[in-house]
Amino acid sequence: MTTETRIILNDEAATLAAGAALAKAMPAGAIIYLHGDLGAGKTTLMRGVLRGLGHQGKVKSPTYTLVEPYAFGTQHVYHFDLYRLKSPSELQALGMQDYADGQAVCWIEWPEKGEGYLPAADLACFLSDEGEARLLVLVAKTPKALTWLGKGFG
């Protein structure tokens, strides 16, 4: 089961707004794969998600740390960047199964680097260039994601 939503993002403000809209209806325990080339806007989208949840501080890509944790009251959001992962089995040492506990939300950049060790995605986000703009394609993989997209992008 997959359902797709396509959104043209004309500038950084639109990318931030799309992230904030996703955050507003984001269910606990969601697993989101974030695809896109270097410079496609993945960190900007994440900044929008986190700002939509109320984060005021800096948002950086966890390229070197692999994961950046964020807490919003009882809700936890983990932003993973697997770009520098040498082997998918490194996720086992990282304790990936502890992060994907059914309550925390996990946003995972470069999920193909963790194939076989990642939980299945509820939502896959694809960012790409579309002329002078960006194209955000949201692909719901589960009923949870369909409900979520219906609230934020229906």
Side-chain angles (χ1 to χ4, degrees), residues 30-142:
I31 304 294
I32 303 100
Y33 288 0
L34 193 48
H35 300 273
D37 291 336
L38 290 171
K42 297 182 299 294
T43 301
T44 302
L45 184 68
M46 261 324 291
R47 189 176 320 118
V49 168
L50 295 168
R51 296 258 164 80
L53 294 171
H55 181 72
Q56 298 297 314
K58 187 172 179 148
V59 175
K60 60 182 180 171
S61 179
T63 302
Y64 295 100
T65 59
L66 293 181
V67 63
E68 286 289 331
Y70 299 90
F72 304 94
T74 59
Q75 184 179 28
H76 289 82
V77 175
Y78 298 103
H79 177 201
F80 293 86
D81 185 334
L82 306 184
Y83 182 73
R84 295 195 176 278
L85 210 63
K86 291 181 177 53
S87 165
S89 63
E90 289 179 59
L91 287 174
Q92 196 168 19
L94 182 65
M96 182 70 209
Q97 68 280 0
D98 296 330
Y99 292 102
D101 62 4
Q103 295 301 310
V105 175
C106 296
W107 285 81
I108 305 166
E109 292 187 40
W110 303 97
E112 60 277 5
K113 301 263 189 170
E115 193 171 331
Y117 287 84
L118 290 175
D122 292 300
L123 181 70
C125 300
F126 297 87
L127 280 160
S128 60
D129 288 331
E130 183 78 9
E132 294 294 314
R134 301 252 191 259
L135 174 64
L136 173 61
V137 179
L138 304 170
V139 181
K141 303 279 191 176
T142 64

Side-chain angles (χ1 to χ4, degrees), residues 138-151:
L138 304 170
V139 181
K141 303 279 191 176
T142 64
K144 179 193 306 190
L146 281 175
T147 299
W148 178 16
L149 290 180
K151 289 179 184 176

